[in-house]
PDB file of all heavy atoms in Angstrom:
ATOM      1  N   TYR A1436    -168.545 200.304  71.992  1.00 88.00           N
ATOM      2  CA  TYR A1436    -168.279 200.713  70.726  1.00 88.00           C
ATOM      3  C   TYR A1436    -166.944 201.520  70.659  1.00 88.00           C
ATOM      4  O   TYR A1436    -166.644 202.246  71.627  1.00 88.00           O
ATOM      5  CB  TYR A1436    -169.381 201.533  70.088  1.00 88.00           C
ATOM      6  CG  TYR A1436    -170.735 200.877  70.001  1.00 88.00           C
ATOM      7  CD1 TYR A1436    -171.702 201.060  70.920  1.00 88.00           C
ATOM      8  CD2 TYR A1436    -170.990 199.946  69.012  1.00 88.00           C
ATOM      9  CE1 TYR A1436    -172.879 200.371  70.903  1.00 88.00           C
ATOM     10  CE2 TYR A1436    -172.179 199.258  68.914  1.00 88.00           C
ATOM     11  CZ  TYR A1436    -173.109 199.479  69.894  1.00 88.00           C
ATOM     12  OH  TYR A1436    -174.341 198.873  69.886  1.00 88.00           O
ATOM     13  N   ILE A1458    -170.542 212.789  75.021  1.00 93.00           N
ATOM     14  CA  ILE A1458    -170.501 211.540  75.744  1.00 93.00           C
ATOM     15  C   ILE A1458    -169.228 211.363  76.553  1.00 93.00           C
ATOM     16  O   ILE A1458    -168.194 211.915  76.209  1.00 93.00           O
ATOM     17  CB  ILE A1458    -170.669 210.332  74.815  1.00 93.00           C
ATOM     18  CG1 ILE A1458    -169.592 210.358  73.725  1.00 93.00           C
ATOM     19  CG2 ILE A1458    -172.038 210.293  74.216  1.00 93.00           C
ATOM     20  CD1 ILE A1458    -169.699 209.121  72.701  1.00 93.00           C
ATOM     21  N   THR A1511    -165.898 204.750  74.951  1.00 92.00           N
ATOM     22  CA  THR A1511    -166.729 205.435  76.024  1.00 92.00           C
ATOM     23  C   THR A1511    -166.462 204.811  77.358  1.00 92.00           C
ATOM     24  O   THR A1511    -166.031 203.743  77.457  1.00 92.00           O
ATOM     25  CB  THR A1511    -168.277 205.297  75.627  1.00 92.00           C
ATOM     26  OG1 THR A1511    -168.586 203.950  75.526  1.00 92.00           O
ATOM     27  CG2 THR A1511    -168.564 205.979  74.302  1.00 92.00           C
ATOM     28  N   GLY A1515    -172.249 200.442  75.805  1.00 84.00           N
ATOM     29  CA  GLY A1515    -173.422 200.609  74.899  1.00 84.00           C
ATOM     30  C   GLY A1515    -173.765 202.044  74.483  1.00 84.00           C
ATOM     31  O   GLY A1515    -174.887 202.336  74.120  1.00 84.00           O
ATOM     32  N   VAL A1516    -172.852 202.956  74.627  1.00 91.00           N
ATOM     33  CA  VAL A1516    -173.130 204.435  74.353  1.00 91.00           C
ATOM     34  C   VAL A1516    -172.577 204.743  72.963  1.00 91.00           C
ATOM     35  O   VAL A1516    -171.566 204.302  72.549  1.00 91.00           O
ATOM     36  CB  VAL A1516    -172.425 205.356  75.417  1.00 91.00           C
ATOM     37  CG1 VAL A1516    -172.632 206.758  75.155  1.00 91.00           C
ATOM     38  CG2 VAL A1516    -173.027 204.949  76.778  1.00 91.00           C
ATOM     39  N   THR A1517    -173.312 205.545  72.235  1.00 92.00           N
ATOM     40  CA  THR A1517    -172.906 206.039  70.905  1.00 92.00           C
ATOM     41  C   THR A1517    -173.037 207.553  70.858  1.00 92.00           C
ATOM     42  O   THR A1517    -173.775 208.211  71.710  1.00 92.00           O
ATOM     43  CB  THR A1517    -173.773 205.421  69.814  1.00 92.00           C
ATOM     44  OG1 THR A1517    -175.174 205.787  70.081  1.00 92.00           O
ATOM     45  CG2 THR A1517    -173.654 203.895  69.797  1.00 92.00           C
ATOM     46  N   GLY A1518    -172.457 208.186  69.870  1.00 93.00           N
ATOM     47  CA  GLY A1518    -172.552 209.624  69.657  1.00 93.00           C
ATOM     48  C   GLY A1518    -171.380 210.160  68.849  1.00 93.00           C
ATOM     49  O   GLY A1518    -170.377 209.452  68.528  1.00 93.00           O
ATOM     50  N   LEU A1519    -171.415 211.423  68.590  1.00 95.00           N
ATOM     51  CA  LEU A1519    -170.423 212.149  67.751  1.00 95.00           C
ATOM     52  C   LEU A1519    -169.250 212.529  68.621  1.00 95.00           C
ATOM     53  O   LEU A1519    -169.365 212.707  69.845  1.00 95.00           O
ATOM     54  CB  LEU A1519    -171.010 213.415  67.131  1.00 95.00           C
ATOM     55  CG  LEU A1519    -172.132 213.164  66.058  1.00 95.00           C
ATOM     56  CD1 LEU A1519    -172.682 214.494  65.622  1.00 95.00           C
ATOM     57  CD2 LEU A1519    -171.664 212.374  64.874  1.00 95.00           C
TER      58      LEU A1519
END
Side-chain angles (χ1 to χ4, degrees):
Y1436 299 100
I1458 54 180
T1511 57
V1516 177
T1517 60
L1519 297 173

